Amino acid sequence: MGSVAYPLVVALWLLPLAGAVLCWAFGPRLRSACGWLAAGLVGVSFLLAVASWGSATQNLGGVLGAHQPLVSWMPGFDFGLLLDPLSLIWTFIITGVGFLIVFYSIGYMDGDRAFARFFAYMSFFMFAMLTLVLSDNFVGLLVGWGLVGLASYFLIGFWFERRSAVAAARKAFVINVVGDVGMMFAIFLIVANVHSIGFGDVFAAAPGLSDKLVFAICLALFIGAAAKSAQVPLHTWLPDAMEGPTPVSALIHAATMVTAGVYLVARCAPLWNHSGSAQLLVATIGGVTALGGAILGTAQWDIKRILAYSTMSQIGYMIMGVGVGAYEGGVAHFFTHAFFKAQLFLGAGLVIHALHNEQDIRAMGGLWRRMPFAFWVMLTGVLSICGVPGFSGFFSKDAVIYGALQHGHPWIYAVDIVTAGITAYYMFRMLFVAFLGEYRGEAAPDRAGRESEHGTHAPGWVMNVPVAVLVVPSVAVGGALMFGGDNSPWSRFFAPLYGTPSSRAIAVPPISEGVTSLVVFLTVIAGFAIAWQRYASRGAQADAPARLRRETERMPAVLTNLFYVDWVIERLIVRPAQRLGELFGRVVDPHVLDGAVRDLVFWARWLGTLVRSFQTGLVRAYALILVAGAACFVVYYAVAAGLR
């Protein structure tokens, strides 16, 4: 790593930590300035990432990117920072989209009594996420992995006076710790067999490892990825995490943390490339998650939960992409998704903020007249996530879907096409119910968004500007980067890391990518048409309140109970664990552990009392004890001699 790159990479890594420390230590004095301080430092970190582009993409002596050693403990156990094309993309999103979300939060969190604490947590989270993606070894990645989980616990439970927020934070933390355990087992296997924690050493040794060992390592790593990225069956924490403030949902549960699993699989591509079974497992789980999340999204009425399940579904697309080996496609969908999903969450935040924390879309309606900016923001975000041609989501999602066919997984290809249609249905359903028709709630903002007689209030410019900025990449970045197939800027950017997509394809698809795009688009139109007929047509709007009430009452129990996954986990894991804890609390702890300690104390005291009774202070008593002891020795040796 060159002398210029070293301070840039280290500085962009540590600046968010500096913001967290300053906001935490001096928050009461800085007050509202904490938001501007945190946003400014993250913004500078983003600029440093842009300035590090040349170092991250250089290839000197066969070494790709900028590598900065930090600590050397023993051979194979070196800790440092690695900024290459993959970590650079994640760094752009963490610091770039993160800056816009923190800037937005200045307006959203205005007036909150824990304003400074919020920005300390947000800055700490971004430092943790940068630690995860910039580490050049598995242990450093695990440290960042755990810190991200801790930061998300703080942020999900930020409003800790709400019992639901505390429960959601605890649930997210516990499930993520399950993933952490999987990561640790993978590292144990790596150290035992490779004797190194460095990415370069491990990936170089991968061809020499047995198939079973590589599969075991990949399986353990994917447990961590599935927990962090909300993949079936470890997905149940993600919808509950919407209890946190909306900017938290935008940053952690859309743009960064939930994509850590995608990063892990993409980073460890040399391992997955040597285990077809591991690739099939990851692709299958990703496909099931994409479809399951989309189906559950059709049964939600809370605007943030709808977006949460859409996140779960879209992360399934990404996991499926990197799982089948279409790495640049999966990473591309991460990149475009970060923009349009952050835009959707922040757009939803505009509505929630204006309606005094109302999140039920059944209590909305007609908002396109009174909040036109929020409507256009949500519309462009929906068009992008649905993959309408020309929008960013179209290019990345189609790359993932066609990648499944190129790598010999036609059934996953079919599932992804169906999922695209379901996504269009429930996303347009959200848009139509919330913004069209007549208002069904108690209060609505006026057309200009000003304070109305009902007490609603409009977001200020500090919230509107970041959302407006996000619209640009949501619409344009996909086409700008991915148009051109193997010769696109995106493919050329990742070619030194993964090669070209066609060079890794293992099957000749029976249909072209253009035909696939047409089929996906027709499926999207079908989903849109069904949503329009059910929620936006004249007949649907005429009796909207009663019809929405009937739909709620008739919703299948399997959907309202979220496929009973929480029910199964509650009865198979949570309740038995609670009963085991109660058993230890009532029996084992007081009677076995404490009982053993009490018995030791009793016998120690008894023996002490016995020995103390011999300490009389009388010489004749001590002389008697000596004589008795000597007599015992004489008798013992006399008896022993007689026996011989």
Side-chain angles (χ1 to χ4, degrees):
M1 184 173 179
S3 60
V4 176
Y6 165 75
L8 294 185
V9 176
V10 174
L12 74 87
W13 172 49
L14 293 178
L15 278 174
L17 178 62
V21 172
L22 291 173
C23 289
W24 184 263
F26 303 104
R29 294 185 179 182
L30 294 173
R31 297 181 182 178
S32 60
C34 281
W36 298 102
L37 173 66
L41 290 176
V42 175
V44 173
S45 187
F46 171 70
L47 295 177
L48 294 178
V50 174
S52 300
W53 177 289
S55 299
T57 56
Q58 68 184 359
N59 194 334
L60 300 177
V63 178
L64 180 64
H67 178 231
Q68 174 56 45
L70 295 177
V71 177
S72 181
W73 181 30
M74 63 176 68
F77 288 80
D78 299 325
F79 300 86
L81 303 178
L82 174 64
L83 189 66
D84 66 354
L86 186 65
S87 56
L88 181 66
I89 290 298
W90 255 266
T91 301
F92 280 161
I93 294 301
I94 296 166
T95 57
V97 176
F99 165 74
L100 295 174
I101 294 172
V102 173
F103 191 90
Y104 173 98
S105 302
I106 296 172
Y108 192 90
M109 299 302 293
D110 184 38
D112 193 281
R113 60 185 179 85
F115 187 84
R117 178 165 59 88
F118 176 82
F119 287 96
Y121 288 166
M122 291 284 273
S123 297
F124 175 68
F125 167 80
M126 280 182 277
F127 163 73
M129 195 70 201
L130 287 172
T131 302
L132 189 159
V133 301
L134 291 176
S135 293
D136 67 347
N137 64 92
F138 282 97
V139 172
L141 185 147
L142 179 62
V143 170
W145 203 268
L147 291 178
V148 164
L150 177 63
S152 70
Y153 173 79
F154 291 152
L155 287 166
I156 295 169
F158 178 76
W159 287 319
F160 56 82
E161 64 274 7
R162 302 179 185 176
R163 296 185 63 182
S164 57
V166 174
R170 184 168 58 243
K171 183 177 184 179
F173 188 78
V174 170
I175 292 179
N176 276 274
V177 167
V178 172
D180 296 347
V181 173
M183 291 277 292
M184 286 191 290
F185 273 105
I187 294 173
F188 293 157
L189 290 173
I190 288 170
V191 171
N193 291 276
V194 183
H195 311 295
S196 175
I197 59 173
F199 290 149
D201 295 338
V202 175
F203 299 156
L209 302 177
S210 67
D211 293 343
K212 290 183 178 179
L213 177 59
V214 173
F215 177 76
I217 293 173
C218 290
L219 176 62
L221 288 173
F222 187 64
I223 292 174
K228 197 72 74 181
S229 292
Q231 299 296 288
V232 173
L234 301 177
H235 66 282
T236 58
W237 67 269
L238 182 61
D240 293 351
M242 296 302 108
E243 290 290 338
T246 300
V248 172
S249 302
L251 178 64
I252 295 182
H253 309 118
T256 54
M257 176 180 138
V258 291
T259 63
V262 183
Y263 172 80
L264 178 63
V265 178
R267 172 58 70 196
C268 297
L271 291 174
W272 260 270
N273 289 340
H274 285 85
S275 178
S277 299
Q279 287 187 322
L280 180 60
L281 172 67
V282 173
T284 302
I285 295 296
V288 170
T289 302
L291 180 61
I295 292 173
L296 290 176
T298 64
Q300 305 303 310
W301 298 108
D302 184 304
I303 190 170
K304 287 176 65 176
R305 281 183 171 262
I306 294 171
L307 296 178
Y309 279 109
S310 75
T311 298
M312 171 183 162
S313 181
Q314 297 304 307
I315 300 296
Y317 270 111
M318 301 174 208
I319 289 289
M320 187 277 296
V322 295
V324 299
Y327 299 110
E328 65 290 302
V331 174
H333 199 50
F334 150 74
F335 192 65
T336 61
H337 175 268
F339 295 114
F340 62 68
K341 184 53 66 64
Q343 173 187 328
L344 285 167
F345 265 113
L346 298 187
L350 298 178
V351 175
I352 295 168
H353 186 79
L355 299 183
H356 286 297
N357 298 319
E358 178 61 70
Q359 296 182 195
D360 193 331
I361 60 175
R362 293 169 296 185
M364 300 178 189
L367 295 181
W368 75 274
R369 301 184 189 90
R370 300 180 180 273
M371 301 185 67
F373 176 72
F375 169 71
W376 287 108
V377 164
M378 296 298 286
L379 176 60
T380 54
V382 168
L383 292 173
S384 190
I385 194 174
C386 291
V388 173
F391 289 81
S392 292
F394 164 79
F395 296 95
S396 59
K397 182 182 288 188
D398 280 20
V400 169
I401 294 174
Y402 194 66
L405 199 59
Q406 284 182 306
H407 289 82
H409 300 283
W411 69 270
I412 295 179
Y413 169 82
V415 166
D416 287 343
I417 292 177
V418 173
T419 302
I422 299 173
T423 300
Y425 167 74
Y426 73 81
M427 291 303 296
F428 279 106
R429 167 183 179 264
M430 176 195 72
L431 189 73
F432 295 154
V433 174
F435 286 92
L436 301 187
E438 298 298 326
Y439 188 72
R440 297 177 294 274
E442 297 180 357
D446 62 22
R447 183 173 177 80
R450 294 184 295 267
E451 186 96 7
S452 74
E453 66 273 14
H454 300 289
T456 59
H457 57 289
W461 69 270
V462 75
M463 294 173 63
N464 289 332
V465 169
V467 183
V469 172
L470 283 168
V471 172
V472 177
S474 294
V475 173
V477 73
L481 293 178
M482 301 192 66
F483 185 78
D486 284 2
N487 197 38
S488 67
W490 189 263
S491 293
R492 293 198 304 270
F493 182 74
F494 280 104
L497 200 61
Y498 298 123
T500 60
S502 59
S503 68
R504 298 193 315 276
I506 63 173
V508 179
I511 58 177
S512 67
E513 188 171 2
V515 174
T516 294
S517 298
L518 177 61
V519 172
V520 174
F521 181 54
L522 293 176
T523 307
V524 169
I525 291 177
F528 165 81
I530 296 173
W532 177 271
Q533 179 63 31
R534 288 175 59 86
Y535 302 103
S537 64
R538 183 174 299 179
Q541 292 292 340
D543 190 30
R547 194 187 57 76
L548 293 175
R549 184 170 58 251
R550 289 194 301 271
E551 181 177 338
T552 303
E553 295 169 352
R554 297 173 182 175
M555 192 71 70
V558 69
L559 296 183
T560 56
N561 288 284
L562 310 177
F563 294 141
Y564 296 99
V565 175
D566 273 321
W567 185 88
V568 171
I569 293 176
E570 176 77 15
R571 281 154 181 79
L572 293 184
I573 299 176
V574 176
R575 290 188 182 179
Q578 289 175 338
R579 288 170 183 167
L580 182 63
E582 292 173 357
L583 174 65
F584 271 83
R586 287 197 314 266
V587 179
V588 177
D589 191 27
H591 299 296
V592 178
L593 300 179
D594 287 351
V597 173
R598 287 194 298 268
D599 288 346
L600 287 173
V601 171
F602 170 80
W603 287 107
R605 287 179 176 175
W606 184 83
L607 289 173
T609 301
L610 178 64
V611 172
R612 190 168 57 248
S613 67
F614 296 120
Q615 307 298 318
T616 62
L618 299 176
V619 175
R620 63 176 179 271
Y622 298 153
L624 180 61
I625 293 173
L626 290 173
V627 171
C632 289
F633 273 103
V634 170
V635 170
Y636 171 79
Y637 284 109
V639 171
L643 292 175
R644 287 196 298 268

